[in-house]
Amino acid sequence: MHTSGLMVKTRKDKKAEQEIHDMRAGLLAWYDKEGRTLPWRVRPEDRAAGEIADPYAVWLSEIMLQQTTVPHGTPYWHKFLKAFPTVTYLANADREKVLGMWAGLGYYARARNLHKCAQMIRDDYNGHFPKTEAELLELPGIGPYTAATIAAICFGQATNIVDGNVERVISRIFKVEEPLPEARKPLRLLAGTLADPLRAGDYGQAVMDLGATICTPRSPNCAICPWDDFCLAKEKGTPEAYPRKAAKKPKPIRYGAAFVAVSKGEVLLETRPDKGLLGGMAGLPGSEWTSKRLETPLKSAPFEGDWIKSKREVKHVFTHFELRLQVYKAEFETRPNSNQAWADDYLLAGLPTVFKKALKAVQL
Ligand code: SF4
């Protein structure tokens, strides 16, 4: 393995120009041959032939894949593009339909922002995505990573794309000892020193691909890495120890009750308040989710009935807490309130996962 003396001298904060040039060239050559082919992506040879990435398709994929894997997210991407072939179609769609189609991807605030963002692009930009990172950042649900990605991939802007994959690769290349999340800012600066302004989109996708396919969290395959000659963590022999992470605090637990009212084979649903978790989504009626076990859960029932408690408590982990739900079920021959929404199996299939678990707990 070769490690230049120059790099050793500058390892703490930056790399020398020649080394940066070599790293960019090596990575892009690898990407041109080995980069992933994804349905929303324009491969380098097609880009060279004049093909341009569709910002709508790229944006959809980026929002969908922020918290899920490519195999899980891709069918949703196809489904959305089929139902809403342009950003204006999406903007004009009924929000409930958009949220329903999102079910299974989690993080519903994203779906609400997706819809809002589409409407802003329709109304303020005549249905065309803005081209600059700064303008993209003004749109709902578009953060620094997504803005940098769209601007680079679709509009060729020299941005600095940093996602979790890039953070991992960069922390290993520079052997950054500071733990995440504090290391986020220095990692971004270091990533910026390597980013290639001439092929910004390809470079960004290349580092992300490197992280997704070779420099993986638990078992980086350094033997086939285009950056193995430049990697300080590999040189040390412990690449998987990076990025360093601060010890995780245990997630707080919240408690609640959910009610499955069944009538004529259908289940009572309610729309959750716009603000808060799963906002605007259909859900089962129930209590608030609080830090203490409910003393009188039946007080939160939508109406009186012979509520039978499921023997099984539902557990569901959200980003910031773990939820424990007691689930109650009752059958009603006549519907106590004719104005409420009752749902059949088809609609129930689109419920957020936590409520599907609740239905399962009472075997529906
Ligand atoms: S050499 Fe190994 S640890 Fe370093 S970037 Fe490549 S795969 Fe990751």
Side-chain angles (χ1 to χ4, degrees):
M1 191 205 76
H2 131 96
T3 304
S4 75
L6 201 45
M7 185 176 84
V8 174
K9 264 188 254 153
T10 58
R11 59 169 52 169
K12 279 283 178 245
D13 44 9
K14 60 182 183 181
K15 287 180 179 292
E17 236 169 70
Q18 183 58 46
E19 200 164 84
I20 290 172
H21 173 271
D22 293 348
M23 288 182 79
R24 288 174 181 165
L27 182 72
L28 284 166
W30 169 81
Y31 176 73
D32 288 345
K33 251 174 77 190
E34 309 284 350
R36 291 177 296 177
T37 300
L38 299 169
W40 47 86
R41 184 179 273 187
V42 172
R43 292 280 311 143
E45 59 275 18
D46 298 326
R47 194 191 300 278
E51 200 176 323
I52 292 167
D54 172 8
Y56 173 56
V58 172
W59 166 69
L60 263 185
S61 73
E62 291 301 339
I63 304 290
M64 285 178 171
L65 295 178
Q66 276 172 22
Q67 295 283 345
T68 192
T69 59
V70 170
H72 181 67
T74 303
Y76 286 87
W77 181 85
H78 282 296
K79 197 168 71 168
F80 265 68
L81 266 196
K82 195 164 175 223
F84 317 116
T86 67
V87 70
T88 305
Y89 273 91
L90 179 60
N92 292 341
D94 188 43
R95 192 178 80 152
E96 304 317 308
K97 184 175 175 187
V98 175
L99 293 178
M101 283 176 59
W102 189 269
L105 279 173
Y107 303 92
Y108 291 91
R110 295 228 169 96
R112 289 197 299 277
N113 278 332
L114 189 85
H115 194 232
K116 247 192 255 165
C117 180
Q119 292 179 327
M120 270 179 84
I121 292 170
R122 176 194 64 193
D123 299 340
D124 300 350
Y125 294 95
N126 211 12
H128 299 288
F129 274 76
K131 293 183 177 167
T132 67
E133 204 175 354
E135 284 172 305
L136 287 160
L137 263 175
E138 293 293 313
L139 294 168
I142 295 194
Y145 160 74
T146 311
T149 303
I150 297 173
I153 294 176
C154 306
F155 304 117
Q157 287 204 10
T159 64
N160 180 21
I161 300 174
V162 183
D163 71 347
N165 280 320
V166 178
E167 280 178 354
R168 183 171 58 258
V169 173
I170 296 299
S171 74
R172 290 172 177 176
I173 291 292
F174 290 91
K175 203 164 75 59
V176 173
E177 297 297 342
E178 194 176 355
L180 285 171
E182 290 77 24
R184 209 145 265 156
K185 205 171 164 193
L187 285 173
R188 162 168 291 280
L189 292 174
L190 289 170
T193 64
L194 298 184
D196 188 338
L198 300 178
R199 287 183 64 188
D202 285 344
Y203 173 87
Q205 291 175 115
V207 194
M208 288 192 280
D209 278 13
L210 186 66
T213 62
I214 293 182
C215 194
T216 55
R218 273 180 220 102
S219 45
N221 192 352
C222 304
I224 59 163
C225 176
W227 276 356
D228 70 327
D229 277 357
F230 306 98
C231 182
L232 295 176
K234 186 223 159 186
E235 186 190 342
K236 191 184 171 202
T238 55
E240 54 292 319
Y242 297 85
R244 304 284 196 202
K245 284 182 186 151
K248 267 193 189 161
K249 286 190 206 138
K251 287 194 181 188
I253 296 176
R254 288 196 201 162
Y255 301 89
F259 295 88
V260 181
V262 183
S263 174
K264 300 176 189 131
E266 296 187 323
V267 170
L268 177 68
L269 293 187
E270 63 174 23
T271 303
R272 296 182 58 79
D274 256 10
K275 289 234 159 90
L277 212 58
L278 310 175
M281 298 295 297
L284 294 170
S287 69
E288 284 189 19
W289 299 340
T290 60
S291 57
K292 285 200 181 129
R293 272 196 191 279
L294 304 175
E295 285 181 10
T296 52
L298 287 176
K299 269 194 178 166
S300 313
F303 27 68
E304 286 193 3
D306 295 328
W307 294 104
I308 297 171
K309 185 175 159 188
S310 160
K311 289 197 185 93
R312 200 154 60 77
E313 190 176 56
V314 166
K315 287 186 188 163
H316 188 76
V317 180
F318 290 103
T319 319
H320 299 298
F321 65 92
E322 180 182 316
L323 178 66
R324 308 255 169 101
L325 265 188
Q326 294 173 44
V327 189
Y328 294 82
K329 180 184 169 188
E331 303 261 355
F332 297 87
E333 270 191 29
T334 49
R335 296 183 175 181
N337 182 341
S338 58
N339 291 329
Q340 286 170 317
W342 295 76
D344 58 15
D345 286 352
Y346 176 74
L347 283 174
L348 295 179
L351 283 182
T353 310
V354 60
F355 295 120
K356 283 198 210 152
K357 285 186 187 173
L359 292 172
K360 209 166 169 198
V362 291
Q363 292 185 325
L364 266 173

